[in-house]
Amino acid sequence: MISAAVMPQPHRPIELRTFERPVLEPGAVLLKTLGSEVCGTDTHLAKGQLSGVPYPIIPGHVSVGVIDEIGPGAAPLDVDGRPVEVGQVVTFLDVYGTCGRCWYCTVGHATTRCPYRKVYGITLSADDGLLGGWAQYIHLRAGVHIVPLPENLDWRAFLAAGCGMPTALHAVTLAEIDFGDTVVVQGAGPVGLSAAALAQLRGAGRVIVIGGPEVRLAAARTFGADTTIDIASTTEAERLEAIRDLTGGRGADITIEATGVPAAVPEGMRLTRDAGRYVVVGQYTDTGSATFNPHLDLNRKHLDVRGCWGSDAGHVYRSVRVMSRYADQFPWTELISAEYDLAHAQAALDDVAAQRVVKALIVP
Ligand SMILES: [Zn+2]
Ligand SMILES: [Zn+2]
């Protein structure tokens, strides 16, 4: 029997349940889980803040495991086109079932908006099997995008960056940072920290992180942020003044929002210079509205605002490559504050929700 941590409904405690070992279909893979991340999305799932979630679910959408079994017939190919092998350490894109045929997949070139996509740990039900990472084994159905981890990339480091890394990589790509740019990152959670690191790799001249609490700001400085500003002890006017002081009165060339707080968006528009660029990636759940002045904050400002939703196999693939190449430069594993077994998954969720830890891992 296989154990898994199951979220039965919003506002109900995590339960330990047992599952039969699945019979694999051709093209499928059974992963023996090494670890799975706990992220802010899981706390939103626990509060019922995402729509279309088929509870009960096994949470855990970014995971690493060892290939334990391959379904009958030819082994599936990894993203590089090589057949996967038993014993390989791999991660996978949590998004499954992107159709490749709909308007968004073909004409719009925006696969993250494909209406058929399902996400491991979020929009796949535990009633349908081991389709989330908080389990001893994960059933990778035929067609899941598999990315092997290079030998020099510690799986804990990969999970410490977690889903924040491909998300930030997508946002930083959209931000089109130029050499020497001043980049403001709003938010010092996993997405913000990864964005701060990636901004440096894209040639930013200065990286400023606005957020909190202090444990996260300290992590941002460890990851190379030049300046951190504590959101709790400053007013919006003070933050605006601080950014203008650092940029010759203009504001940031690029601002990346990674907070999840609606009020951060109009503030981010104002922190950005005229004709600068603003990428919004942190508003993943609906936590309300914010108002801005269309004349002052957008039109006359000639501001380029971009929304960024989800990530695709390319973002995960590039994350693995970047983390492998720059593993020494950014101390990802230091972000892991705690590891929990399946029986303590609820404690992991509570600690992440209360921001007592920067990054928590489930290690079955
Ligand atoms: Zn599609
Ligand atoms: Zn996540």
Side-chain angles (χ1 to χ4, degrees), residues 40-363:
T41 299
D42 301 311
T43 66
H44 296 309
L45 288 167
K47 292 182 203 149
Q49 289 168 334
L50 268 75
S51 56
V53 178
Y55 299 97
I57 58 167
I58 301 172
H61 47 278
V62 173
S63 313
V64 174
V66 179
I67 295 183
D68 194 68
E69 187 187 338
I70 293 172
L77 305 180
D78 66 21
V79 171
D80 275 318
R82 287 186 291 252
V84 300
E85 295 169 18
V86 169
Q88 257 185 325
V89 176
V90 302
T91 187
F92 62 94
L93 178 69
D94 53 3
V95 176
Y96 160 80
T98 303
C99 77
R101 291 184 306 279
C102 73
W103 191 93
Y104 285 103
C105 282
T106 56
V107 181
H109 298 296
T111 57
T112 65
R113 297 306 301 144
C114 174
Y116 301 103
R117 69 201 287 275
K118 300 281 183 199
V119 186
Y120 272 74
I122 300 178
T123 52
L124 288 165
S125 174
D127 292 338
D128 295 323
L130 294 161
L131 305 173
W134 297 6
Q136 290 174 316
Y137 289 85
I138 310 169
H139 182 171
L140 303 188
R141 288 175 167 174
V144 169
H145 298 285
I146 298 172
V147 182
L149 294 195
E151 261 174 31
N152 75 323
L153 178 55
D154 178 7
W155 63 264
R156 282 188 162 82
F158 180 75
L159 289 180
C163 68
M165 180 45 116
T167 305
L169 190 141
H170 190 183
V172 170
T173 304
L174 284 179
E176 296 183 50
I177 295 165
D178 214 336
F179 292 108
D181 274 351
T182 292
V183 177
V184 166
V185 177
Q186 297 174 284
V191 176
L193 287 176
S194 286
L198 291 169
Q200 295 164 63
L201 298 179
R202 298 285 279 208
R206 187 201 307 269
V207 176
I208 303 161
V209 174
I210 301 174
E214 176 50 32
V215 60
R216 290 183 163 195
L217 295 180
R221 291 191 293 274
T222 306
F223 274 70
D226 301 284
T227 307
T228 55
I229 299 174
D230 189 342
I231 190 88
S233 64
T234 52
T235 64
E236 179 176 348
E238 286 167 342
R239 293 190 288 275
L240 196 55
E241 194 185 333
I243 301 301
R244 293 223 166 121
D245 280 350
L246 290 166
T247 55
R250 292 186 300 272
D253 300 299
I254 307 276
T255 303
I256 296 169
E257 182 277 331
T259 67
V261 179
V265 173
E267 177 173 335
M269 296 168 90
R270 289 159 203 155
L271 294 173
T272 313
R273 69 164 165 83
D274 288 6
R277 193 170 297 115
Y278 186 36
V279 178
V280 176
V281 65
Q283 308 290 319
Y284 184 69
T285 53
D286 183 356
T287 50
S289 300
T291 56
F292 66 93
N293 183 309
H295 171 66
L296 295 175
D297 298 326
L298 183 64
N299 197 150
R300 192 185 73 173
K301 200 172 171 73
H302 196 61
L303 187 65
D304 179 0
V305 180
R306 300 181 180 185
C308 178
W309 178 261
S311 43
D312 64 23
H315 299 120
V316 174
Y317 180 87
R318 290 178 191 280
S319 295
V320 167
R321 301 253 82 76
V322 166
M323 291 192 67
S324 167
R325 170 64 179 78
Y326 298 100
D328 299 339
Q329 196 167 324
F330 299 105
W332 302 106
T333 44
E334 286 179 21
L335 296 179
I336 301 171
S337 318
E339 297 186 3
Y340 305 77
D341 60 18
L342 291 174
H344 293 88
Q346 182 64 46
L349 209 48
D350 294 342
D351 287 347
V352 169
Q355 298 194 355
R356 282 189 286 268
V357 296
V358 177
K359 179 54 69 180
L361 300 190
I362 302 289
V363 179

